[in-house]
Amino acid sequence: MTDGTAEEWRGWRAATEAALYGPDGFYRRPEGPAGHFRTSVHASPLFAEAVARLLCRVDEALGRPPELGFVDMAAGRGELVTGVLAALPADVAARTRAYAVDLADRPPGLDHRIEWLPKPPRGVTGLLFANEWLDNVPVEIAEVDPAGVARRVLVRRDGTERLGEPLSGAEAEWLARWWPLPAEEGLRAEVGLPRDEAWADAVAAVARGLAVAVDYAHTADARPLFGTLTGFRAGRETAPVPDGSCDVTAHVALDAALEACGVPGGRVLTQRAALRALGIAGARPPLALATTQPAAYVRALASAGEAAELTAPGGLGDFGWLLQPVGLESASLGGLLVDVPDHEEQ
């Protein structure tokens, strides 16, 4: 392997930032994320309906404020915020101020009620919802060298890697606290410090209400030995090459983000448990309905299939939901912020 020039090699954080959000970056493309991968938002309108139900619970907990904020982080082409507005009761929708936050340009034809911003607004009273946002906040990759030292992984635009300097300072401290690597050559980790900082900043944008992050996730008791860095292109997982041709993503240490925001009362649970608490169960309709109301049975069966996909073990149901209340009582959101018995999360 040739070293190339110093300018060709950079850490994965800088390389990913340019590949995803630069002038010709992946997330600037007109087809948007839905052209390359399928999130819960794209899987079923039931997801937006569940988020709308959550916004209504937040509204109740806040005492029905004159203006209720809904912030859709990493909004893509505005699919989630559009679905949420459509699912809200008329009286709630009339008081809702909707924001879509994304670095891409505002999509043509988006509902005029939705404000399009590059950063979340400050002082929100309501719900900030970040679906698959934190996994695209770029991070450094660490790898253990033959001497047992965790070093920064450097990468070129074509995906070629080499080891750089040892991690130090706040990055080394984060790794030691949240993802300690045994001194075994080749073990890897994603240094989630930038995500912790991004989440803390998002939570700080909420004056009163709830902030939610939904993502591929892992916790300290089950970190993957070789990290999770990967790419997606045209619906398929692919090698993570930081040239703007594919998504570059890695799972999120939601437990670290939870602690980093410094606000009490938050918790992490599975999407399966969260959606069940919001009325999405995936139960099949009674077979008798097929005889008495066949059209209704077909609709109910399709809805049950979509709900099952959203809550499936080994799939979307295993996503993590990080819920962080700001100025709300834990008991005010219908069980989402109180302990869920283990059998209900399975």
Side-chain angles (χ1 to χ4, degrees):
M1 181 193 308
T2 59
D3 284 350
T5 65
E7 288 74 24
E8 289 182 294
W9 296 100
R10 49 186 171 174
W12 268 103
R13 183 180 180 187
T16 302
E17 184 74 33
L20 297 184
Y21 307 115
D24 300 316
F26 177 81
Y27 278 101
R28 305 279 190 174
R29 294 182 168 213
E31 71 269 20
H36 294 271
F37 50 85
R38 191 164 179 256
T39 71
S40 295
V41 177
H42 310 116
S44 170
L46 292 175
F47 189 79
E49 292 170 15
V51 176
R53 201 168 295 129
L54 177 59
L55 180 58
C56 289
R57 291 190 187 181
V58 172
D59 182 44
E60 290 281 355
L62 291 169
R64 297 178 172 268
E67 181 177 290
L68 178 68
F70 176 69
V71 182
D72 179 10
M73 296 291 295
R77 296 300 176 265
E79 299 95 335
L80 177 60
V81 64
T82 298
V84 168
L85 285 176
L88 288 174
D91 63 313
V92 179
R95 291 183 288 108
T96 297
R97 187 169 182 180
Y99 305 90
V101 179
D102 206 286
L103 293 177
D105 294 334
R106 181 187 180 97
L110 190 69
D111 192 317
H112 71 278
R113 294 174 294 172
I114 300 169
E115 297 182 49
W116 194 266
L117 301 171
K119 295 181 179 180
R122 315 307 287 185
V124 171
T125 298
L127 172 64
L128 179 146
F129 200 89
N131 185 61
E132 295 195 41
W133 167 54
L134 287 177
D135 68 292
N136 286 130
V137 173
V139 294
E140 298 291 4
I141 307 299
E143 182 175 322
V144 179
D145 70 8
V149 176
R151 293 180 176 270
R152 189 185 318 277
V153 177
L154 306 181
V155 65
R156 293 199 301 201
R157 184 177 166 84
D158 65 0
T160 306
E161 293 183 337
R162 75 175 187 190
L163 296 186
E165 70 282 1
L167 288 184
S168 62
E171 292 177 337
E173 292 172 5
W174 188 96
L175 201 65
R177 167 69 176 86
W178 291 107
W179 199 330
L181 288 171
E184 181 178 332
E185 183 180 3
L187 298 186
R188 289 169 66 121
E190 292 100 35
V191 184
L193 183 61
R195 294 169 172 179
D196 294 356
E197 294 169 346
W199 179 243
D201 184 68
V203 172
V206 179
R208 284 189 69 221
L210 182 71
V212 180
V214 180
D215 238 310
Y216 304 95
H218 46 63
T219 53
D221 59 348
R223 303 283 191 226
L225 292 176
F226 299 99
T228 61
L229 184 71
T230 191
F232 285 93
R233 182 190 296 113
R236 295 175 180 270
E237 190 168 6
T238 186
V241 178
D243 61 359
S245 69
C246 67
D247 187 24
V248 178
T249 179
H251 295 197
V252 183
L254 285 180
D255 48 352
L258 172 64
E259 183 174 300
C261 74
V263 180
R267 69 178 307 222
V268 176
L269 66 163
T270 63
Q271 174 157 298
R272 181 165 56 257
L275 289 184
R276 284 178 176 173
L278 292 167
I280 306 297
R284 292 173 62 91
L287 191 58
L289 189 64
T291 301
T292 59
Q293 301 180 55
Y297 176 79
V298 170
R299 289 194 300 271
L301 191 63
S303 179
E306 293 175 4
E309 181 182 3
L310 290 173
T311 58
L316 294 175
D318 288 345
F319 271 50
W321 278 46
L322 166 51
L323 298 101
Q324 183 58 64
V326 181
L328 293 183
E329 294 293 329
S330 294
S332 64
L333 293 175
L336 279 169
L337 292 173
V338 297
D339 289 338
V340 177
D342 290 344
H343 71 274
E344 290 187 25
E345 293 213 25
Q346 300 306 313

